[in-house]
Structures are given as C-alpha cells and as structure tokens.
C-alpha cells in the first residue's frame, strides 16, 4: 500500500478494514457525525462491534444479533470505553454510517442529504444512559484534532450527532454524551496548538 493510500489512516488507531466502504463521489470531507453503539445493547467490550462492521456478526450469538447481522454498515472510527481507537475505513473513503438523514449546511445555506458522501463517522462505545469515559473524551478530542488538521472544511461548528441528522430514527450519542464538556475540551486542545 503506498503512502497516498494510508493518508486517511490515523496512526494512533488500530486498523481493522471494513468491506462496507467505497469512494467518496467528490472527495469532500466537511462534516463529523458522532454516534454511539453497544452490542448487545447496553453491554460493553467484546468483539461484536468489530464483527458487525466487518460482516462477521453471528446471527445466533445473541437474540439482538439476528435482527442486525444482515446489515452492511461501518464507521470510520470506533472509540472503545478504555479510549482505544479502532479505524475501519480510511477517512478519505466513504463509510456507511449515516443512513437516511439530512443536515442543514450553514455554509451553503441548503439542506443536504447523502451525508456519507462528505462526512466522517465516529462511533463511541456507549448508549443513551451510561456516561462516556474520560478516556473516550480524550481520544475523541485527539481524533477530531487530527481530522480538522487534515480537512480544513471540518470545523467545530460542523460536528453534530446522528440524532440531529436522523431525529425520527436515531438518538445517539444520546443524553449521556456531554456536549458542553466535549466542546470545552476541544476548544482547550485547539488553544494549546
């Protein structure tokens, strides 16, 4: 693999390639979507998230898995409870994370759909009810700093939740995610640079 192909791989992330990706149609990266996931729901650790994003989730591994094992989804990054980051898709490529969604782009003054075309998806291992860990916020701020340095169009104002772009379908990262704390940490990190 040449250096150009590795440009969108974060050196601090463990690489686990997902087949659920393809080329971005215009090469634009200007939106960051934050998600939360736990598999089975409400349970943390284990390899079920990686199995889902690599099409290896056993349908008989848990009753919930039978409902989702057929899905072909991915995210660019997953931040585990201990802060470990796993990268499934090079950020220059399109991951399949946003689904049916739309977002008001204030820079263009239009509603946009097909968000996977121009967004990066970061999954946080968590749920609506369990507070996220300090290690996760630290890794998230570090990852966002790396992304903003790579993609000048990506600014703090262009970071939102899955819930905001798909409000009738999704709630993540949910009320347990502390947006004020995250934005404060992000602002402090930017100030230090």
């Amino acid at each position: 693999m040449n250096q150009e192909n590795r440009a969108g791989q974060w050196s601090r992330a463990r690489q686990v390639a997902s087949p659920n990706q393809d080329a971005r149609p215009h090469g634009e990266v200007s939106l960051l979507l934050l998600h939360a996931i736990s598999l089975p729901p409400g349970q943390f650790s284990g390899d079920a998230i990686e199995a889902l994003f690599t099409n290896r989730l056993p349908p008989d591994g848990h009753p919930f898995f039978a409902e989702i094992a057929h899905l072909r989804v991915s995210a660019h990054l997953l931040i585990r409870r201990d802060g470990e980051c796993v990268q499934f898709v090079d950020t220059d490529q399109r991951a399949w994370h946003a689904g049916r969604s739309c977002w008001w782009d204030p820079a263009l003054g239009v509603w946009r759909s097909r968000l996977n075309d121009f967004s990066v998806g970061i999954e946080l291992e968590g749920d609506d009810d369990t507070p996220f860990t300090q290690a996760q916020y630290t890794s998230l701020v570090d990852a966002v700093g790396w992304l903003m340095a790579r993609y000048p169009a990506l600014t703090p104002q262009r970071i939102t939740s899955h819930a905001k772009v798909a409000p009738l379908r999704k709630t993540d990262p949910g009320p347990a995610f502390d947006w004020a704390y995250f934005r404060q940490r992000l602002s402090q990190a930017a100030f230090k640079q």
Side-chain angles (χ1 to χ4, degrees):
M1 183 181 291
N2 65 37
Q3 186 63 33
E4 181 179 86
N5 290 338
R6 292 188 301 220
Q9 292 182 348
W10 191 28
S11 63
R12 293 188 41 199
R14 180 167 55 88
Q15 302 294 317
V16 177
S18 172
N20 305 326
Q21 62 176 295
D22 55 8
R24 292 187 186 277
H26 308 292
E28 174 191 358
V29 176
S30 63
L31 179 65
L32 174 59
L33 290 181
L34 298 184
H35 304 262
I37 187 170
S38 61
L39 289 178
Q43 295 182 30
F44 308 128
S45 74
D47 67 350
I49 299 169
E50 289 185 30
L52 175 66
F53 290 164
T54 56
N55 303 337
R56 299 179 297 107
L57 188 68
D60 58 352
H62 183 275
F64 182 69
F65 294 174
E67 299 175 33
I68 63 169
H70 68 284
L71 297 176
R72 298 298 174 250
V73 294
S74 60
H76 291 93
L77 301 171
L78 165 67
I79 299 176
R80 307 297 305 240
R81 303 291 294 176
D82 63 1
E84 178 196 22
C85 189
V86 182
Q87 184 166 11
F88 296 96
V89 177
D90 184 301
T91 57
D92 290 338
Q93 294 291 106
R94 177 170 53 187
W96 303 346
H97 61 97
R100 293 181 322 276
S101 51
C102 63
W103 173 69
W104 175 258
D105 187 333
L108 299 177
V110 296
W111 284 99
R112 297 181 73 180
S113 58
R114 301 186 56 85
L115 303 187
N116 288 337
D117 290 357
F118 60 94
S119 66
V120 168
I122 297 180
E123 291 277 3
L124 297 162
E125 186 176 31
D127 59 26
D128 283 1
D129 305 312
T130 308
F132 293 89
T133 68
Q134 289 298 314
Q136 286 180 295
Y137 286 107
T138 298
S139 290
L140 178 60
V141 167
D142 291 347
V144 172
W146 173 73
L147 288 165
M148 288 172 52
R150 277 191 52 71
Y151 305 107
L154 190 58
T155 64
Q157 296 74 30
R158 298 177 78 85
I159 301 172
T160 193
S161 68
H162 202 190
K164 291 244 172 109
V165 302
L168 300 178
R169 293 187 311 112
K170 298 294 181 176
T171 60
D172 59 313
F177 184 77
D178 190 336
W179 281 97
Y181 178 70
F182 162 64
R183 292 197 185 279
Q184 177 187 30
R185 292 275 311 265
L186 188 60
S187 175
Q188 290 170 343
F191 184 72
K192 289 179 186 175
Q193 293 178 357

